[in-house]
Amino acid sequence: MLFKQQALLRQKLFVLGSLAIGSLLYLVARVGSLDRLQPLCPIDGRFGPRGQDEIPLRALQFKRGLLHEFRKGNATKEQIRLHNLVQQLPKAIIIGVRKGGTRALLEMLNLHPAVVKASQEIHFFDNDENYAKGTEWYRKKMPFSYPHQITIEKSPAYFITEEVPERIYKMNSSIKLLIIVREPTTRAISDYTQVLEGKERKNKTYYKFEKLAIDPNTCEVNTKYKAVRTSIYTKHLERWLKYFPIEQFHIVDGDRLITEPLPELQLVEKFLNLPPRISQYNLYFNATRGFYCLRFNIVFNKCLAGSKGRIHPEVDTSVITKLRKFFHPFNQKFYQITGRTFNWP
């Protein structure tokens, strides 16, 4: 009898202990989830007196779940009004370049509590059909956010599409523009690799990179090949400078963002007039993937999709040398215009 009572007592103590540990873990996780959502006001005088523009604690606690419901279209107008959430036009756009690291940059900037990202590429300014739908259609494609937050979208085709600079200027002539670049030859090969993978998934054949990048008739670099044209950064930037001063652009080093992301992100924070909030805690190296992953808090981590970091095919070294020689004068002009120098061959 005594043995049964002792066993029952141990069982009760075990249950109570489990409940206590579970409660403690829940509280720790809850605090961690709120860490990313701390109100930012006031920030260096950008907002009013304390309390005037701060996000209510109740809204902070439920923000992540509510925004998820809003994206699914399940939120009511009353919920939107109650939590003071709005859909805002972007105050900054990552305009390019393709295969430069635009997705990585967007996801990393989303670590900042004052930044809200559009999850999908909107392709508003580079798509005539979408652009004809008007700015209000574009705004409704943006995520819900608090009024003090900055909405950012990325569509790398913007950088190389001729009509885009004027269209963005007409929407907001003071918008901040982010361009992320990589070494031009590496970027062109990465561009080719993505297209090649798509062809292979559809069981289609595709030319080798060398045959596309080099004109077989002249044996010179084929400037009609889109992957090559995209890497002539200065040609595209000069078109943008007809509408925007260079001060409204920030150039991000896409190669450095892979190996040492924090300094690049801190430069972007400064460019966007944001208080420094992204730290080394938010970035950890994943040895399996070979890339940095993101840590929002103690319970929520995120790595980029497996399609990022594709293995490039081997390219003839003479073709690489020819491409680097071709890009060199354009690179020098790009350094001169932007005021930023890269260690490109």
Side-chain angles (χ1 to χ4, degrees), residues 137-175:
W137 177 88
Y138 180 52
R139 187 182 64 81
K140 288 183 178 179
K141 291 292 182 181
M142 294 300 124
F144 283 90
S145 62
Y146 291 104
H148 78 276
Q149 291 176 310
I150 293 177
T151 297
I152 296 181
E153 77 124 324
K154 73 103 175 175
S155 292
Y158 288 167
F159 186 59
I160 64 171
T161 305
E162 290 187 10
E163 299 83 4
V164 171
E166 182 179 5
R167 289 175 174 180
I168 292 182
Y169 180 84
K170 287 179 178 179
M171 181 191 74
N172 182 358
S173 61
S174 61
I175 197 166

Side-chain angles (χ1 to χ4, degrees), residues 139-284:
R139 187 182 64 81
K140 288 183 178 179
K141 291 292 182 181
M142 294 300 124
F144 283 90
S145 62
Y146 291 104
H148 78 276
Q149 291 176 310
I150 293 177
T151 297
I152 296 181
E153 77 124 324
K154 73 103 175 175
S155 292
Y158 288 167
F159 186 59
I160 64 171
T161 305
E162 290 187 10
E163 299 83 4
V164 171
E166 182 179 5
R167 289 175 174 180
I168 292 182
Y169 180 84
K170 287 179 178 179
M171 181 191 74
N172 182 358
S173 61
S174 61
I175 197 166
K176 292 181 179 291
L177 302 165
L178 293 162
I179 305 172
I180 179 168
V181 294
R182 296 189 66 193
E183 191 277 313
T185 301
T186 302
R187 194 222 63 82
I189 296 173
S190 181
D191 197 328
Y192 166 83
T193 304
Q194 177 171 298
V195 176
L196 175 65
E197 184 181 277
K199 297 287 186 180
E200 290 176 341
R201 281 200 304 266
K202 298 176 182 178
N203 294 318
K204 294 183 177 181
T205 57
Y206 197 48
Y207 294 111
K208 292 186 67 175
F209 175 79
E210 292 87 340
K211 191 169 184 178
L212 294 169
I214 304 298
D215 187 327
N217 296 319
T218 64
C219 293
E220 298 298 329
V221 173
N222 180 15
T223 55
K224 294 181 180 179
Y225 179 37
K226 187 175 180 180
V228 169
R229 290 203 316 273
T230 299
S231 285
I232 308 176
Y233 305 139
T234 185
K235 290 290 187 181
H236 305 293
L237 182 58
E238 285 173 342
R239 185 172 58 250
W240 284 84
L241 290 173
K242 294 177 183 177
Y243 296 91
F244 299 96
I246 193 64
E247 291 77 19
Q248 282 178 232
F249 296 87
H250 178 73
I251 311 300
V252 179
D253 186 339
D255 295 306
R256 192 183 184 201
L257 193 73
I258 296 172
T259 60
E260 196 180 1
L262 184 58
E264 286 299 314
L265 295 173
Q266 289 173 334
L267 289 174
V268 177
E269 284 180 323
K270 185 176 181 181
F271 172 70
L272 296 177
N273 295 321
L274 293 172
R277 289 292 185 274
I278 302 174
S279 69
Q280 197 61 57
Y281 168 82
N282 300 119
L283 302 159
Y284 68 96

